Amino acid sequence: MFYWFYSFISSLLAVDKKCVYDKSRVQPSCSPSLGTLTCLSVYCSAGYKKIFETCEELSEPLPTTITGRIPSFLKGSLLRLGPGLFEVGDEPFYHLFDGQALMHKFDFKNGQVTYYRKFVRTDAYVRAITEKRVVITEFGTFAYPDPCKNIFSRLFFSYFKGVEVTDNCLVNVYPVGEDYYAVTETNYITKVNTDTLETLKKVDMCNYVNINGVTAHPHIERDGTVFNIGNCMGKGATLAYNIVRTPPTQKDKSDPIEKSKVVVQIPSAERFKPSYVHSFGMSDNHFVFVETPVKINLLKFLSAWSIRGSNYMDCFESNESQGTLFHLARKDPGEYIDHKYKGAPIGMFHHINTYEDGGFIVVDLCAWKGFEFVYNYLWLANLRANWDEVKKAAMMAPQPEVRRYVIPLDVHKEEQGKNLVSLPYTTATAVMHADGMIWLEPEVLFSGPRQAFEFPQINYARYAGKNYTYTYGLGLNHFIPDRICKLNVKTKETWVWQEPDSYPSEPLFVQTPDAIDEDDGVLLTIVAAPGSQRPGYLLILNAKDLSEVARAEVECSIPVTFHGMYKP
């Protein structure tokens, strides 16, 4: 998400809503051909503010009140991560990605569901609780020096200690071998017990590979092999991006992380200004890395840190002239493909899917038009504002779109000036310029003013890296999550689930046993409903039409969550 550059430093959504509501819980698109979602959510109350409030962990699992019937094939756990502590003593955290990591778990057993949550005992959390203050600087919150130390000791230890990297693993959880790790985007990942939610140990990836951090969005193959990406020091003392392979469970029961290796290195467009990296694409035979114009100015960061109290948001800047670069690399053997693919500037956090078809690589992703950093609009003060102010701020933000880019693999100099894309089902183009650069124009799969389709999910087990039809997402209305969406990427038809004053999270797809169709399965999402008697619940939707299958309600509030997984 945002921290992967720390180690390097250390080592050197537009419609005004009325108070009416269509009682139908499943809202088909009013204009499927345009892929436009109708947003019916009502903000008569300010319930969305409560998803950004501190909550307490639980001492034991809570029973739930179930409406409908829990599918019999759900027998595991839904695991989710997000911020749960938004202030320490009198000191607040300022940005959405600063709150301390809280792990949530809904367990399925014999048709019943229980809910449990616990703070991850990271160093950032334990020290903050112990000292009753922010001890380690987070994304948008500066950790001020210990007031009990005199100015000489503060300056002395700050100078020699360097920048302390946070291990606040609030973003995602995924398996490595037989273990599970809660993660953010630094070099630290945290091993957790997914049965008890106990924190087991902190792991520094720098001890195993040349990497300064890894993303919270790895790709995991069917055999358990994990691929991830992060920045590193490359050739000639310049920054680059390494793709790392971690093998599956080892026969000798050794830790797979210890056998992690760099597969391929991708060059950075700017020597000391790496792009922000949140995810990457992977097909059967290739990696795709999208290098956006959102940059981290490392020299600015270093000077800001030494001169004045600063946070990492201060060190982001945009290089409008760069545009967006699309890098390709072969998986086996790991080899960088030195063709220059370029498009107009976008911000980008989440890939949807990447696959190969007839000599082309199709890249579907959630884009934000322009070069401005979207995280500028995710300060907690903005998200907690009154609805008119939330809308006003979002109107100035980049416009979200779901886009399809098509990258030709076989290119020849004499083909300049013509569209190289010959796939019959897309309007995306790729045109070679005189200098050999191939300019990419996308096909827009979905666009709605200030209505983002984000946190995308697919039937990953069967269709990751394959030609697919459906993606599911969290609908953001001026950055407030208020609906679950389904998009047919071939026809652009859309489906929507939403209820008033209800704020869901990323939907996770679980396939029905013996499924035939791609969308045979259910979606799992956690919904905050602050105005209800039971203000939080697990929602299960039919993945075909987003009709409700069941819900399991709890008598406690649930804050915002980011990502997670279903563990069978």
Side-chain angles (χ1 to χ4, degrees):
M1 185 182 299
F2 36 78
Y3 296 113
W4 46 268
F5 62 102
Y6 291 12
S7 296
F8 171 73
I9 293 293
S10 299
S11 63
L12 280 144
L13 172 122
V15 179
D16 194 11
K17 305 301 179 288
K18 306 300 181 182
C19 294
V20 294
Y21 177 67
D22 186 331
K23 293 181 180 178
S24 171
R25 288 178 180 169
V26 182
Q27 307 294 342
S29 168
C30 63
S31 182
S33 62
L34 296 178
T36 302
L37 300 180
T38 302
C39 180
L40 298 175
S41 187
V42 179
Y43 289 95
C44 300
S45 69
Y48 59 88
K49 298 180 183 181
K50 294 187 178 298
I51 66 175
F52 309 115
E53 291 182 358
T54 291
C55 68
E56 295 181 351
E57 63 181 21
L58 300 174
S59 59
E60 60 184 17
L62 296 179
T64 64
T65 301
I66 296 175
T67 303
R69 175 175 289 185
I70 305 298
S72 59
F73 61 87
L74 293 176
K75 298 179 180 179
S77 302
L78 172 65
L79 303 170
R80 301 285 304 170
L81 272 159
L85 183 71
F86 291 93
E87 63 279 319
V88 182
D90 295 329
E91 296 186 12
F93 291 105
Y94 293 108
H95 200 274
L96 178 60
F97 301 130
D98 294 346
Q100 298 300 290
L102 181 66
M103 194 166 191
H104 307 256
K105 180 166 72 95
F106 280 93
D107 276 328
F108 303 93
K109 186 175 182 180
N110 300 325
Q112 298 299 309
V113 181
T114 58
Y115 171 65
Y116 187 45
R117 67 188 182 210
K118 198 173 185 67
F119 283 102
V120 185
R121 264 56 178 180
T122 61
D123 286 350
Y125 173 81
V126 172
R127 291 174 60 187
I129 293 299
T130 301
E131 299 187 32
K132 295 182 175 57
R133 65 184 184 91
V134 179
V135 178
I136 298 178
T137 293
E138 301 289 352
F139 183 55
T141 304
F142 176 73
Y144 287 93
D146 185 348
C148 296
K149 293 181 180 179
N150 62 42
I151 188 170
F152 173 78
S153 63
R154 292 203 302 266
L155 291 173
F156 180 85
F157 285 110
S158 294
Y159 181 81
F160 286 101
K161 191 173 184 180
V163 179
E164 194 164 14
V165 181
T166 184
D167 60 345
N168 182 25
C169 51
L170 77 163
V171 183
N172 204 358
V173 56
Y174 60 82
V176 179
E178 296 180 349
D179 300 320
Y180 292 83
Y181 289 85
V183 298
T184 178
E185 290 183 336
T186 68
N187 52 303
Y188 295 120
I189 61 177
T190 302
K191 185 176 176 180
V192 293
N193 183 321
T194 54
D195 293 325
T196 65
L197 302 191
E198 295 295 324
T199 304
L200 300 178
K201 70 174 181 178
K202 175 178 172 179
V203 176
D204 185 352
M205 290 299 296
C206 291
N207 293 334
Y208 306 103
V209 286
N210 175 23
I211 207 83
N212 292 327
V214 291
T215 78
H217 291 287
H219 283 284
I220 303 176
E221 296 191 318
R222 289 177 177 83
D223 68 352
T225 300
V226 178
F227 290 96
N228 212 334
I229 189 171
N231 82 315
C232 67
M233 282 303 300
K235 298 177 181 179
T238 62
L239 282 166
Y241 310 92
N242 275 346
I243 293 179
V244 175
R245 177 186 183 273
T246 300
T249 302
Q250 302 294 289
K251 293 181 179 179
D252 61 3
K253 301 300 180 182
S254 60
D255 187 350
I257 290 178
E258 297 177 357
K259 296 179 172 59
S260 297
K261 293 183 178 179
V262 173
V263 176
V264 64
Q265 186 168 107
I266 296 171
S268 173
E270 294 191 63
R271 184 171 184 176
F272 291 118
K273 294 181 181 180
S275 289
Y276 170 75
V277 184
H278 192 85
S279 65
F280 66 107
M282 188 176 82
S283 64
D284 283 343
N285 302 296
H286 294 85
F287 302 109
V288 177
F289 169 53
V290 180
E291 190 175 17
T292 73
V294 177
K295 300 290 183 176
I296 303 165
N297 187 326
L298 299 182
L299 297 179
K300 181 179 178 182
F301 168 81
L302 187 60
S303 62
W305 185 273
S306 61
I307 296 172
R308 58 183 172 82
S310 180
N311 60 61
Y312 305 102
M313 276 291 291
D314 296 333
C315 306
F316 285 98
E317 59 185 44
S318 295
N319 180 354
E320 181 182 1
S321 63
Q322 175 192 292
T324 301
L325 304 179
F326 294 76
H327 298 275
L328 294 185
R330 296 183 183 90
K331 284 175 65 177
D332 189 16
E335 181 183 11
Y336 180 66
I337 298 175
D338 196 14
H339 289 314
K340 188 174 182 180
Y341 303 95
K342 187 175 181 180
I346 60 170
M348 197 278 296
F349 307 108
H350 299 116
H351 282 258
I352 299 174
N353 200 11
T354 303
Y355 65 89
E356 300 165 23
D357 187 359
F360 299 92
I361 297 182
V362 179
V363 182
D364 291 351
L365 49 80
C366 298
W368 297 80
K369 295 171 66 174
F371 53 88
E372 187 179 3
F373 195 29
V374 174
Y375 288 175
N376 290 332
Y377 297 89
L378 299 181
W379 295 98
L380 288 169
N382 293 348
L383 298 173
R384 291 166 172 164
N386 292 329
W387 180 235
D388 286 343
E389 293 301 315
V390 170
K391 290 194 299 180
K392 183 178 178 181
M395 290 298 292
M396 297 184 291
Q399 166 69 18
E401 286 184 343
V402 177
R403 291 184 170 189
R404 167 166 289 179
Y405 291 89
V406 179
I407 303 174
L409 289 170
D410 189 19
V411 295
H412 305 280
K413 186 75 172 179
E414 62 271 16
E415 294 181 310
Q416 62 181 277
K418 71 174 185 177
N419 178 23
L420 305 179
V421 178
S422 58
L423 295 178
Y425 54 79
T426 181
T427 59
T429 62
V431 176
M432 180 180 290
H433 290 193
D435 60 359
M437 181 269 290
I438 300 169
W439 183 265
L440 304 179
E441 285 289 346
E443 176 184 5
V444 176
L445 302 181
F446 166 76
S447 180
R450 313 304 160 189
Q451 310 295 318
F453 182 105
E454 263 289 357
F455 295 82
Q457 291 288 315
I458 63 171
N459 183 341
Y460 191 89
R462 286 179 56 184
Y463 288 90
K466 309 293 184 184
N467 194 333
Y468 73 117
T469 301
Y470 300 109
T471 179
Y472 309 91
L474 177 64
L476 303 181
N477 179 6
H478 298 75
F479 294 113
I480 302 299
D482 71 346
R483 63 200 185 276
I484 298 296
C485 313
K486 177 182 180 179
L487 171 65
N488 183 322
V489 299
K490 291 180 167 58
T491 68
K492 303 181 184 178
E493 184 179 7
T494 57
W495 296 258
V496 175
W497 174 95
Q498 62 181 170
E499 288 189 357
D501 203 20
S502 298
Y503 310 98
S505 62
E506 168 194 61
L508 296 178
F509 180 89
V510 181
Q511 181 177 277
T512 303
D514 303 320
I516 297 175
D517 295 334
E518 179 182 336
D519 56 354
D520 280 345
V522 297
L523 301 179
L524 307 180
T525 182
I526 297 177
V527 181
S532 303
Q533 179 181 354
R534 289 182 285 269
Y537 59 92
L538 165 73
L539 177 66
I540 304 174
L541 299 176
N542 186 322
K544 282 188 172 293
D545 59 9
L546 300 197
S547 59
E548 181 171 333
V549 175
R551 62 176 65 186
E553 299 173 300
V554 292
E555 295 184 356
C556 64
S557 61
I558 300 178
V560 63
T561 63
F562 297 139
H563 301 287
M565 63 171 289
Y566 172 73
K567 176 188 173 186

